Amino acid sequence: MLFSYSSQEVAQNREFYLKGYDAKHGLVSLDSLMNWHHLFQNLKKYYPKSNGRPSADPIILVKILMIQSLEGFRSVRSTCKQVSQNMTYRWFLGISPFTCIPHHSTISKFLWKRLGGPHFWRKLFGEQLKMIHREGFLSHETWVADETELKANANKRIRQSEYIERVIEENEEDLKQINHFRKRNGKKPLKPKGSKMILKRKNWSPVDPDAALSVKHEKRGRFAYFEHRIVDSLHNFIIGTEVTAANVPGHKILLSQLDSLQDLFGRYCGEIALDSGYYQARLAKGLFERSIFAYISYRRTHSKEHPQCRRTQFQRVKENLYSCPCGVPFYYQTTTRQGYHEFKPPKGSCDGCPFAKKQGEDRILRISIHQETYDNLHKQRLSTRGKILRSVRPATVELSFAHSKELHGLRYARYRGVQKVKTQVLMTAIIQNLKKWAKLRSLQKIGLHLTYKIIEDSV
């Protein structure tokens, strides 16, 4: 049966702590910011109305979880110990000094069995963003996205491996573009290969199968998750977050994140800043189709080319003709299934060239079929706006990750399973947004309105 303290009972209980609690603590400002009645209405559906024994107040349980995320405590058990000893925490809960703190197992069962995963926190996160947006603290001009690694709650030395079947499907759009070039130059179009089945070795943890092995920070690898985060550049609010295994790169899910934000706010951003991990042609095309100006740091790959005869030093004379730094013409030969145009010089033209790697072999120039997309990224990166966005990314999303890890305990995954890690990440994002929101509201009281636009009275 549902039980909850009324606002009058909370006010009466807080009178016991008026001379002992810290009025400048962050929980005090968060308490005035949260709409507890609306939160209670969202929690009512998880409890029966009349049958059963009276439950622990769900608002109290949510507040304890907020304390854990705010202070970065490692577990619910240690959080309950701290709450029972701290007067400010008890004031935030609104319970009397003679009331016992709920048992840590009650809070854990409420979190995983009653709420049942990240859906409740995802909804709360979206409602919070809408209210922040109505007050004008969010900007849709510039967004910044990045990913960070969370160490999984699994021993890296205890691992199991197996061979799994993986289906590799040929990209139909790339094949269509390849055949278009081949037909235009009198070449026979390539036939579709269809899907291909391969065996791939997979290492997985027996205690957390959802985590993936990552070698980003350790040579032998460790089991980890990736959090993919999007922040706005005005006040660094977290507006999008997603958790995947550590083998899912950010460029595969960024477009879906942007589409979900478009459903939430009704529009895309004007520009976005990304690091070199997002340097990928399909992602860039998706951003251009959505009319988003993209700054993506250049990813420098290992090359065996001679320093004075690089691909970027070739001059394009015509569509089917390139000129090398020595003036030798390179003519179009074919377009491969791998997505490269191949250009070759007349036979023997590279004999005696000082830049040739091997004597007696003519060089083959390979140009990607997505070269036009890469050229557009190059122009945007070197533009005036791109140079400005270059300095924006480290000061926004990197700072947001640093606060999450240093202040709120997000350096490690406390739980096992991707759904539970999503819950941890969402609670951390909600707390970070609440802290920033409370600070901006306090600045408004002294006349400093740091909003993106003037808010109408009707909003």
Side-chain angles (χ1 to χ4, degrees), residues 125 128 169 205 233 268-269 326 370 412:
F125 179 68
Q128 180 194 70
E169 297 182 356
S205 171
S233 62
Y268 292 105
C269 61
C326 295
H370 305 297
Y412 306 97

Side-chain angles (χ1 to χ4, degrees), residues 2-6 10 40 47 55-62 93 102:
L2 177 62
F3 165 78
S4 180
Y5 288 102
S6 64
V10 172
F40 175 72
Y47 290 86
S55 65
D57 188 352
I59 299 295
I60 299 296
L61 304 181
V62 171
L93 298 182

Side-chain angles (χ1 to χ4, degrees), residues 31 50 52 85 88 98 100 148 164 202 224 235 254 263 276 408:
D31 180 75
S50 57
Q85 301 168 5
T88 304
F98 312 105
C100 295
T148 189
I164 60 174
K202 178 184 177 182
H235 294 301
L254 179 61
D263 296 335
S276 59
H408 305 291

Side-chain angles (χ1 to χ4, degrees), residues 8-238:
Q8 292 81 6
E9 291 174 326
V10 172
Q12 291 176 1
N13 292 332
R14 285 179 173 176
E15 292 181 358
F16 291 101
Y17 311 105
L18 290 180
K19 294 185 179 180
Y21 83 105
D22 184 7
K24 296 182 180 180
H25 198 279
L27 290 173
V28 179
S29 57
L30 295 188
D31 180 75
S32 60
L33 198 63
M34 287 290 296
N35 188 345
W36 300 113
H37 177 72
H38 178 71
L39 182 62
F40 175 72
Q41 296 298 323
N42 291 335
L43 291 170
K44 283 176 63 176
K45 61 181 180 181
Y46 297 103
Y47 290 86
K49 295 182 180 180
S50 57
N51 57 325
R53 297 175 59 188
S55 65
D57 188 352
I59 299 295
I60 299 296
L61 304 181
V62 171
K63 287 182 177 181
I64 293 177
L65 293 171
M66 290 179 65
I67 293 173
Q68 180 186 4
S69 299
L70 179 67
E71 302 293 355
F73 294 136
R74 179 67 177 170
S75 64
V76 177
R77 186 192 298 264
S78 62
T79 305
C80 292
K81 290 181 180 179
Q82 295 293 332
V83 170
S84 63
Q85 301 168 5
N86 192 297
M87 193 173 295
T88 304
Y89 294 161
R90 298 182 73 96
W91 177 92
F92 177 67
L93 298 182
I95 59 178
S96 69
F98 312 105
T99 304
C100 295
I101 302 297
H103 197 263
H104 61 84
S105 62
T106 303
I107 303 173
S108 298
K109 290 178 181 178
F110 164 78
L111 181 59
W112 304 123
K113 294 185 178 180
R114 187 72 69 180
L115 298 184
H119 308 291
F120 169 79
W121 303 100
R122 178 74 67 181
K123 181 180 178 182
L124 182 62
F125 179 68
E127 293 174 353
Q128 180 194 70
L129 286 178
K130 288 181 180 179
M131 291 187 289
I132 296 173
H133 176 57
R134 290 194 206 104
E135 296 188 12
F137 293 126
L138 287 181
S139 169
H140 297 291
E141 292 300 321
T142 306
W143 291 349
V144 187
D146 201 357
E147 63 187 32
T148 189
E149 183 179 298
L150 278 69
K151 184 180 180 299
N153 188 6
N155 192 337
K156 63 182 180 182
R157 296 179 179 84
I158 301 177
R159 61 181 73 174
Q160 296 182 6
S161 62
E162 62 179 353
Y163 286 92
I164 60 174
E165 293 183 349
R166 182 179 177 183
V167 179
I168 299 179
E169 297 182 356
E170 192 173 26
N171 192 296
E172 297 180 357
E173 295 182 1
D174 287 355
L175 184 61
K176 187 182 298 184
Q177 189 175 355
I178 290 170
N179 287 333
H180 174 72
F181 279 102
R182 292 179 65 91
K183 288 180 181 178
R184 197 165 62 183
N185 291 275
K187 301 291 181 180
K188 187 178 180 180
L190 301 175
K191 295 182 180 180
K193 273 190 173 181
S195 60
K196 181 181 178 181
M197 188 79 69
I198 63 172
L199 288 176
K200 186 176 181 181
R201 184 178 179 180
K202 178 184 177 182
N203 295 309
W204 53 281
S205 171
V207 297
D208 192 356
D210 292 340
L213 199 65
S214 172
V215 294
K216 189 174 183 180
H217 298 290
E218 295 185 18
K219 184 176 291 187
R220 289 195 63 224
R222 66 180 186 183
F223 293 105
Y225 292 94
F226 275 163
E227 187 212 345
H228 310 273
R229 180 177 294 187
I230 302 177
V231 302
D232 80 311
S233 62
L234 181 61
H235 294 301
N236 210 17
F237 279 105
I238 302 172

Side-chain angles (χ1 to χ4, degrees), residues 275-335:
D275 70 348
S276 59
Y278 293 84
Y279 194 81
Q280 208 257 356
R282 295 190 187 94
L283 171 63
K285 287 182 178 180
L287 294 176
F288 295 155
E289 291 172 358
R290 292 163 175 78
S291 301
I292 300 176
F293 179 94
Y295 167 82
I296 305 179
S297 301
Y298 179 68
R299 181 167 55 189
R300 193 177 302 276
T301 57
H302 178 71
S303 175
K304 295 182 180 180
E305 297 176 322
H306 193 279
Q308 297 183 9
C309 191
R310 297 184 184 276
R311 178 185 56 81
T312 55
Q313 296 172 344
F314 279 69
Q315 298 294 326
R316 182 177 180 180
V317 182
K318 297 180 181 179
E319 183 181 6
N320 297 337
L321 178 62
Y322 276 81
S323 175
C324 79
C326 295
V328 178
F330 279 64
Y331 300 96
Y332 173 82
Q333 295 296 320
T334 185
T335 302

